[in-house]
């Protein structure tokens, strides 16, 4: 049996709980997510969970109304008398401790009101709290998805429409460019995604693991992020197409110029090869291949791609053509250098012969019959066609050695005459201004006469080393 004070305290506590639950239920009733769920044609998981949530919400209101009715009856009984008697207290116990309609059975299936235990109202509060959390979880999750994804999808859709207009103006269309096919596919994906989000928002909800808070989690943006990444890739491809369309004509002109220079260089190399074969004997001249016809065909295909606005094929083809055309030009230049190498060797030997002859003239030895014979032989070989480079180089070496020996003899004679007359010249001087035997950077001038004779013999030996130009 309750005392008057206990009855008053329990009435006050239940009144506070009643007001709090009423406030929560009214807030749930006015929640924007609940109104959207009621007014939307739902499908899938959202339809199933909202159907169950609606039934639970109706049961919550029924339990709350029964609780409120019993609370009003209890207050009326308490208000009859200032000091309630046993009958009033027994009635208060019955109203406050019996299970109201809609309250769950106790865990062991017994009616707690029969034992006078205060389990009825406690079970009803537990029922209201549990049901409220279940309904609120559905409402908050759906509202979170609807608040996040549709607006982001709409923004991405607007960006996609601008990109589609730009792509179509650049010739990127479905069927003519892979990026155009991607645009059509991502447009359909976004449209379907928005419809699914509106009809089944809970399919895009990821609950927070280990959290008991209603509505704890986040929207699943996997499909949205995938569409956004694909749109970004398409944007880069469209930018590349625009750049290719803007620069393609200039790049084609540069490619034609490079290939023309390569062809002219190869033609020059072929002419030089004919000249070398006619003027240089006993030498191997590389064969000159023809122009790269495959590059010309691909250049024609590139021009056709540009004319047909097939930019996705034109851009990689131009990149490849630019690299290979430059390689073709370098190959042509290398071929010209290799073909004209014998002529360069001949020019070098002529220059050396003229230098040796000039040195002999400065020393006053050019009138020597032996030197004249060697000079004429070397000159005749170098200025005749075809020119035998190996024989001509041996002749130049013989002339150099003979010149060196002659200059050494002239220098020795001049030194002897100076010593006899008491002159101031140092031994080995050159009164004619020819310098010492090692002058002009000729290593052979520092050799002894015996070594020079050996060098001449080596030059005349049939197995003597080939001149540097012969290996070129």
């Amino acid at each position: 049996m309750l005392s008057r004070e206990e009855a008053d305290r329990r009435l006050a506590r239940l009144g506070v709980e009643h007001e709090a639950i009423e406030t929560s239920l009214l807030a749930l009733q006015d929640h924007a997510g609940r109104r959207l769920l009621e007014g939307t044609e739902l499908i899938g998981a959202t339809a199933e969970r909202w159907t169950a949530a609606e039934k639970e919400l109706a049961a919550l209101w029924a339990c709350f109304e029964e609780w409120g009715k019993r609370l009003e009856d209890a207050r009326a009984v308490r208000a009859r008398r200032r000091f309630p008697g046993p009958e009033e207290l027994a009635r208060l116990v019955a109203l406050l401790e019996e299970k109201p309609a809609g309250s769950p059975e106790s865990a062991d299936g017994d009616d707690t009101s029969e034992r006078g235990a205060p389990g009825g109202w406690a079970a009803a509060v537990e029922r209201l709290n549990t049901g409220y959390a279940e309904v609120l979880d559905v409402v908050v999750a759906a509202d979170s998805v609807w608040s996040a994804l549709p607006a982001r999808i709409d923004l991405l859709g607007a960006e996609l429409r601008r990109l589609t207009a730009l792509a179509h103006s650049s010739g990127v269309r479905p069927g003519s460019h892979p990026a155009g096919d991607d645009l059509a596919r991502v447009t359909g994906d976004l449209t379907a995604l928005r419809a699914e989000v509106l009809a089944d928002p809970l399919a895009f909800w990821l609950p927070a693991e280990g959290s008991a808070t209603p509505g704890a989690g986040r929207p699943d943006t996997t499909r949205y992020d995938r569409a956004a990444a694909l749109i970004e890739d398409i944007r880069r491809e469209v930018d590349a197409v625009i750049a290719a369309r803007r620069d393609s004509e200039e790049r084609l002109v540069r490619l034609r110029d490079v290939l023309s220079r390569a062809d002219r260089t190869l033609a020059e190399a072929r002419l030089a090869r004919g000249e070398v074969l006619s003027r240089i004997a006993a030498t191997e001249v590389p064969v000159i291949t023809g122009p790269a016809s495959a590059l010309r065909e691909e250049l024609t295909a590139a021009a056709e791609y540009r004319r047909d606005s097939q930019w996705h094929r034109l851009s990689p083809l131009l990149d490849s053509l630019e690299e290979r055309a430059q390689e073709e030009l370098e190959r042509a230049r290398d071929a010209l250098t290799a073909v004209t190498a014998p002529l360069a060797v001949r020019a070098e030997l002529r220059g050396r012969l003229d230098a040796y002859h000039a040195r002999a003239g400065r020393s006053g030895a050019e009138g020597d019959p032996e030197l004249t014979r060697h000079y004429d032989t070397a000159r005749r070989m170098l200025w005749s066609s075809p020119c035998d480079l190996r024989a001509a180089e041996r002749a130049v070496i013989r002339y150099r050695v003979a010149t060196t020996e002659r200059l050494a003899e002239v220098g020795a004679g001049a030194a002897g005459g100076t010593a006899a007359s008491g002159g101031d010249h140092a031994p080995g001087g050159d009164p004619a201004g020819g310098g010492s035997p090692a002058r002009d950077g000729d290593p052979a001038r520092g050799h002894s006469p015996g070594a020079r004779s050996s060098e001449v013999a080596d030059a005349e030996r049939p197995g003597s080393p080939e001149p540097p130009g012969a290996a070129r």
Side-chain angles (χ1 to χ4, degrees):
M1 180 69 66
L2 290 175
S3 65
R4 180 176 60 84
E5 291 78 6
E6 290 176 345
D8 290 342
R9 286 196 298 271
R10 182 166 296 185
L11 281 174
R13 178 174 58 82
L14 292 180
V16 172
E17 291 180 355
H18 178 271
E19 292 179 1
I21 292 176
E22 181 181 25
T23 300
S24 298
L25 288 177
L26 289 175
L28 180 60
Q29 191 72 20
D30 292 337
H31 198 287
R34 189 200 65 80
R35 292 198 300 270
L36 288 173
L37 286 169
E38 281 188 347
T40 304
E41 185 176 351
L42 304 173
I43 62 174
T46 306
E48 296 177 2
R49 293 187 62 183
W50 177 240
T51 299
E54 280 187 311
K55 294 179 180 179
E56 182 67 20
L57 185 59
L60 291 178
W61 278 111
C63 181
F64 174 77
E65 290 173 359
E66 177 65 20
W67 185 9
K69 181 179 179 182
R70 284 173 173 265
L71 184 59
E72 290 297 327
D73 291 344
R75 286 172 176 170
V77 170
R78 177 65 184 87
R80 292 175 187 174
R81 299 172 63 180
R82 180 177 180 183
F83 297 99
E87 294 182 1
E88 286 82 5
L89 291 176
R91 179 59 179 164
L92 287 176
V93 170
L95 289 172
L96 297 179
E97 295 184 0
E98 287 183 1
K99 291 188 300 182
S103 296
E105 294 293 323
S106 62
D108 57 0
D110 294 335
D111 191 346
T112 57
S113 63
E114 294 179 357
R115 301 195 307 265
W121 282 107
V125 171
E126 179 67 21
R127 164 69 183 276
L128 288 169
N129 288 335
T130 303
Y132 174 80
E134 293 175 356
V135 177
L136 184 62
D137 184 69
V138 174
V139 171
V140 171
D143 185 60
S144 298
V145 173
W146 279 333
S147 299
L149 279 179
R152 296 173 67 181
I153 293 173
D154 291 341
L155 290 176
L156 191 61
E159 177 63 23
L160 180 60
R161 287 190 292 273
R162 290 191 294 270
L163 180 59
T164 301
L166 178 62
H168 288 177
S169 66
S170 304
V172 179
R173 300 176 180 274
S176 62
H177 194 288
D181 299 333
D182 292 341
L183 273 174
R185 184 172 66 255
V186 74
T187 300
D189 291 345
L190 272 185
T191 302
L193 176 61
R194 191 178 191 282
E196 292 177 25
V197 166
L198 293 178
D200 191 8
L202 296 185
F204 299 89
W205 180 251
L206 297 176
E209 297 182 1
S211 176
T213 303
R218 63 178 180 84
D220 183 5
T221 60
T222 302
R223 288 176 58 183
Y224 170 84
D225 295 337
R226 186 164 56 245
L230 180 57
I231 290 175
E232 184 61 28
D233 292 340
I234 296 172
R235 178 184 292 105
R236 286 194 292 268
E237 182 65 24
V238 171
D239 291 341
V241 166
I242 294 174
R245 185 178 65 173
R246 182 180 63 248
D247 303 335
S248 59
E249 181 61 29
E250 181 181 352
R251 295 174 70 182
L252 286 172
V253 170
R254 287 200 302 266
L255 276 172
R256 294 189 185 99
D257 178 65
V258 171
L259 290 180
S260 297
R261 288 157 57 193
D263 291 346
R264 290 195 300 269
T265 304
L266 287 176
E268 184 180 354
R270 282 190 289 273
L271 292 176
R273 185 174 187 274
E275 181 181 357
V276 169
L277 291 175
S278 64
R279 296 187 180 184
I280 307 298
T283 187
E284 295 182 359
V285 183
V287 178
I288 305 301
T289 59
S293 57
L295 292 180
R296 290 288 184 181
E297 294 175 359
E298 293 184 20
L299 186 60
T300 302
E304 293 177 356
Y305 288 157
R306 183 182 185 278
R307 184 168 54 253
D308 298 338
S309 299
Q310 298 185 31
W311 310 110
H312 64 293
R313 297 180 179 177
L314 176 61
S315 184
L317 180 56
L318 287 178
D319 294 338
S320 175
L321 279 175
E322 287 173 343
E323 180 179 356
R324 288 183 292 153
Q326 192 62 37
E327 292 176 354
E328 178 67 14
L329 180 59
E330 295 298 328
R331 184 184 69 86
R333 289 172 175 171
D334 292 342
L336 179 60
T337 301
V339 164
T340 56
L343 295 178
V345 172
R346 187 185 66 174
E348 178 187 353
L349 290 175
R350 286 178 175 180
R352 289 166 57 188
L353 180 63
D354 290 341
Y356 299 149
H357 185 62
R359 186 175 63 184
R362 290 195 303 269
S363 301
E366 62 179 348
D368 184 83
E370 184 69 14
L371 291 182
T372 302
R373 182 177 65 82
H374 286 306
Y375 174 74
D376 291 341
T377 301
R379 181 175 178 78
R380 183 172 60 255
M381 289 183 178
L382 287 173
W383 267 267
S384 62
S385 295
C387 173
D388 188 341
L389 288 179
R390 295 179 179 86
E393 183 169 15
R394 289 194 293 269
V396 171
I397 291 174
R398 285 195 295 269
Y399 179 68
R400 184 193 68 185
V401 172
T403 302
T404 302
E405 292 176 348
R406 179 57 180 159
L407 293 180
E409 294 173 0
V410 173
T418 303
S421 60
D424 294 333
H425 289 287
D430 188 358
S436 64
R439 191 173 178 181
D440 293 335
D442 191 347
R445 298 180 65 183
H447 294 173
S448 64
R452 297 188 188 95
S453 300
S454 175
E455 186 175 357
V456 174
D458 290 340
E460 293 175 348
R461 187 178 300 122
S464 60
E466 295 183 357
R472 299 188 185 179

